[in-house]
Amino acid sequence: MEVKTNPFYELRNRLYASAAAGCSLMAEDFRLKRAIEAFQPMSEANKVFGKLYAMCNSLISSENKAADIIDCIALADALAVTQGTFSDDSETSPAEPNDYIKPARLTVNEIEEIKEKIRKTQYTQQVLDERFFSKITDPRLLSSLLEVAGKNGAGVVDMLISLESVYGEKIIPLLFDSLDLNEEKATGNQIRFISSVYRDKYNDKYIELAENENNPQGIRIAAIEAMAYSTENEERLITLYKISKGKVKNAALLSLAKMNSPAAEDPIRKMAEKPKKSNFEFLVASGGEAATEYARKELLYIMENGTKDKDPEHPFWLGFFRLLDNKKDVEDIFVKWVDKHSDKDFVPYSKEPDYPSLNEPLIWNLFTHSDSSFRELIRKLYSKYPIVFALSAFVLELNEAPETACKKICTDHRIYDRDIIYILRHLFSTPDGWYRLRHHSIYDKDDYKNIKLFTSIPDDILNFMTDPIVVYDQKDMKKLLKTGKECDIAAENMKQRCTLFQHLLSICPPSDKERVRDAAEKFAWNMIRNYPCDEAMRLLPLVTDRPMEGIAFRYAMMSMEKYSSITWIYYLRGFGLPEDAVANDMKKMKKYLEEHPEFNNEIRMKAVTELLRFYDVKE
């Protein structure tokens, strides 16, 4: 509901809000500018109002904003006392109470620290803890958050997801209010976030914003995109497509394509007949007949002929698998591609998953659609080619049966570990206690899609992480494993678990911290005993309280056996091991080298001597 307030009181409130937010932000305060503009007609009522308008109008460009805003507030307060003599016949209605906005007890330094963290979300992801969300309802901080809510950036995405997880729909009116309808370059990202969570619940608001031609183009486009969540909007979108031009017209067509409207079929068919790079998102978004047939024809062509840069007839040489997004009847394309390019008995030896691009359309559909046919497509493909489609199958299992997902998919550590770890790296948690899976698109890092999975990491995942069978003794690996590639993959499976444990420890809520920490400690000690690699050395100090004597010695022995250089000594300094433990181990190592001349050489002794000198150990 739109609330109309007296322009004078609106201006007075904005003056107070701007003062609280800080003078450095005043030049960017579009709400203050809007309030001043709205007050202009009223300023003609009498000379004092005219003076207030003139003072406020010059405030934005003032060189002494702190002093000038105090004068503006003082005059506004004085006028507020005498408002009983002024008659305003504009319609007003009481504002709905919002118990989300609550002042907090904060020092100036705390306010500036949190504001700086909010500002940085536009450029990088920030650690937003419980304290942040308990204080963010303060109007002085909330105004800063709303200023960046429409900006691009993975940090902004995470902040909005976490904020909604704590306060739910209470923040939605504020996000709509943060849309700057006077800013030509407004992105409308607030609408994209709202619709990603609540789908068509705010459809009336989307329509209102989309159909108002006076609204900024970016906001109209975002609202038109959101209209795709309701098929009831089809006629409205058709009308927008017919009467609009440029990007607004394209946005309407894109929404029609997403809902597979018959009205989009003819334009999509024409795009398929003469494809251009600018057509790509339409052919990807549509699940209709024309887009499906084009995807089938194009993928089969690429399968036989490969890709070429700057081929006008086949312009989608990058990301061509995305043409299969949002399409149901495409099992034959996947099957033909795998039969052509894959060996059923193939064992992947790469450090990262081998088939992320082929699985991306299937994973996209899980995050985007509730239609069970998309899930059934994954099941069929996985049953035929488990190695190729393990990525999407694991995401599906995390959705449907997270308590057994690892056990079901990982039937061979050599083959499936990197796929499972790759997906688990995209887990994150929100302040409401839920673990969620981020949509890990290799094409778009800044989307809001995520899936709520569980409130406690399943034992199945921790059992997968700590499985002792994956840990090899460094001295025995070459005897037990057949080839150098198998040794490399075995080492990678161990190292990636150490790194993943650090990630899980960084995201797990306090209620889960002890379980994850215990599992990580168990695995880290097993690694140190058998394969004391860099990753294990970084993990152990984070999770154990036990004495760490002998660890640096094991690490040094393994490093000197594997490498001829002495760079390992610089890594050892940064692992966070107790200095006295490292110093004692290096004294032990020096003695060992002296007693075993066959193992000693000038480089190794130099490395140990330099470490002892670093820890100021007198020899």
Side-chain angles (χ1 to χ4, degrees), residues 22-126:
C23 294
S24 62
L25 299 174
M26 200 175 299
E28 302 173 3
D29 190 346
F30 67 85
R31 293 182 186 81
L32 177 60
K33 295 176 183 177
R34 188 187 301 169
I36 294 171
E37 292 171 1
F39 182 66
Q40 192 277 331
M42 209 170 173
S43 68
E44 300 173 2
N46 59 53
K47 293 181 180 180
V48 184
F49 275 17
K51 181 179 180 181
L52 177 62
Y53 171 74
M55 291 170 61
C56 293
N57 205 31
S58 61
L59 177 63
I60 303 300
S61 58
S62 171
E63 295 182 359
N64 190 6
K65 291 183 173 64
D68 290 346
I69 198 170
I70 291 173
D71 292 339
C72 290
I73 290 173
L75 180 56
D77 284 347
L79 283 168
V81 175
T82 62
Q83 270 292 281
T85 64
F86 174 76
S87 175
D88 175 20
D89 59 0
S90 62
E91 295 182 13
T92 62
S93 57
E96 294 182 9
N98 192 328
D99 57 2
Y100 170 70
I101 303 175
K102 295 178 181 178
R105 193 179 293 275
L106 292 161
T107 65
V108 173
N109 287 340
E110 286 177 316
I111 292 172
E112 292 305 315
E113 176 190 339
I114 296 175
K115 282 185 176 181
E116 180 65 9
K117 184 170 285 191
I118 292 171
R119 185 189 68 79
K120 288 181 178 179
T121 59
Q122 302 170 67
Y123 312 108
T124 184
Q125 291 169 303
Q126 299 292 305

Side-chain angles (χ1 to χ4, degrees), residues 289-550:
E289 181 181 345
T292 300
E293 286 309 308
Y294 176 77
R296 177 174 285 105
K297 183 184 72 172
E298 188 68 7
L299 266 292
L300 294 178
Y301 173 86
I302 293 172
M303 184 175 69
E304 296 296 332
N305 302 283
T307 58
K308 297 178 183 178
D309 187 8
K310 298 180 181 178
D311 183 346
E313 294 185 9
H314 305 278
F316 310 129
W317 62 280
L318 283 176
F320 53 84
F321 280 120
R322 286 203 59 202
L323 292 168
L324 299 175
D325 285 10
N326 309 299
K327 296 165 183 66
K328 298 177 183 179
D329 187 24
V330 289
E331 181 184 354
D332 61 307
I333 306 176
F334 285 104
V335 169
K336 288 177 181 177
W337 187 275
V338 177
D339 286 343
K340 176 78 175 179
H341 291 282
S342 298
D343 179 356
K344 290 183 179 180
D345 299 320
F346 170 72
V347 176
Y349 286 114
S350 58
K351 294 181 179 180
E352 293 295 319
D354 280 274
Y355 304 104
S357 296
L358 189 57
N359 279 268
E360 177 60 27
L362 301 169
I363 294 173
W364 165 270
N365 293 336
L366 288 176
F367 278 82
T368 309
H369 303 285
S370 58
D371 192 324
S372 61
S373 59
F374 290 110
R375 299 184 176 215
E376 190 58 32
L377 175 59
I378 294 174
R379 292 189 185 95
K380 289 180 179 179
L381 292 170
Y382 176 69
S383 67
K384 294 178 180 178
Y385 311 101
I387 293 176
V388 177
F389 295 104
L391 276 171
S392 51
F394 184 58
V395 175
L396 178 59
E397 287 301 316
L398 280 178
N399 272 268
E400 296 185 338
E403 65 280 357
T404 58
C406 291
K407 185 186 300 182
K408 181 172 181 178
I409 301 300
C410 186
T411 55
D412 187 328
H413 287 296
R414 295 176 309 151
I415 298 173
Y416 299 108
D417 272 20
R418 273 86 62 215
D419 288 339
I420 289 178
I421 292 171
Y422 174 80
I423 298 297
L424 293 179
R425 283 204 300 259
H426 294 87
L427 287 176
F428 71 108
S429 64
T430 43
D432 59 348
W434 279 89
Y435 288 92
R436 302 172 184 237
L437 187 65
R438 192 186 311 280
H439 177 235
H440 49 281
S441 171
I442 58 178
Y443 308 103
D444 184 3
K445 303 296 184 185
D446 297 340
D447 73 45
Y448 302 100
K449 290 183 175 61
N450 67 88
I451 300 173
K452 292 169 72 170
L453 296 178
F454 36 73
T455 55
S456 181
I457 293 181
D459 289 336
D460 176 66
I461 291 178
L462 296 181
N463 291 339
F464 164 80
M465 294 286 290
T466 58
D467 191 344
I469 200 172
V470 305
V471 180
Y472 288 86
D473 188 300
Q474 183 258 338
K475 296 178 181 179
D476 297 334
M477 280 181 68
K478 291 183 179 180
K479 300 176 185 176
L480 297 172
L481 301 174
K482 298 177 181 178
T483 65
K485 283 186 175 181
E486 288 191 355
C487 288
D488 290 344
I489 285 304
E492 196 63 29
N493 289 344
M494 291 187 281
K495 293 175 181 179
Q496 288 195 17
R497 277 174 166 80
C498 293
T499 305
L500 179 56
F501 261 127
Q502 289 191 58
H503 171 66
L504 295 179
L505 286 165
S506 72
I507 67 169
C508 64
S511 59
D512 233 11
K513 185 76 74 175
E514 186 174 349
R515 287 178 63 245
V516 178
R517 184 179 180 274
D518 288 348
E521 182 181 16
K522 174 183 175 182
F523 184 74
W525 277 113
N526 196 10
M527 286 289 294
I528 294 298
R529 286 190 294 270
N530 293 281
Y531 197 90
C533 59
D534 294 356
E535 291 79 3
M537 295 291 285
R538 292 189 187 97
L539 175 62
L540 186 64
L542 300 176
V543 295
T544 191
D545 298 322
R546 291 163 56 184
M548 286 186 266
E549 297 283 345

Side-chain angles (χ1 to χ4, degrees), residues 572-587:
L572 186 56
R573 296 175 188 176
F575 289 147
L577 298 174
E579 291 188 4
D580 57 344
V582 176
N584 289 335
D585 278 1
M586 289 304 100
K587 286 191 283 186

Side-chain angles (χ1 to χ4, degrees), residues 213 220 224 239-246 248-250 252:
E213 295 182 359
R220 292 191 70 198
I224 291 170
T239 300
L240 282 168
Y241 174 66
K242 289 179 178 179
I243 67 173
S244 304
K245 297 180 180 179
V248 174
K249 184 183 186 72
N250 286 340

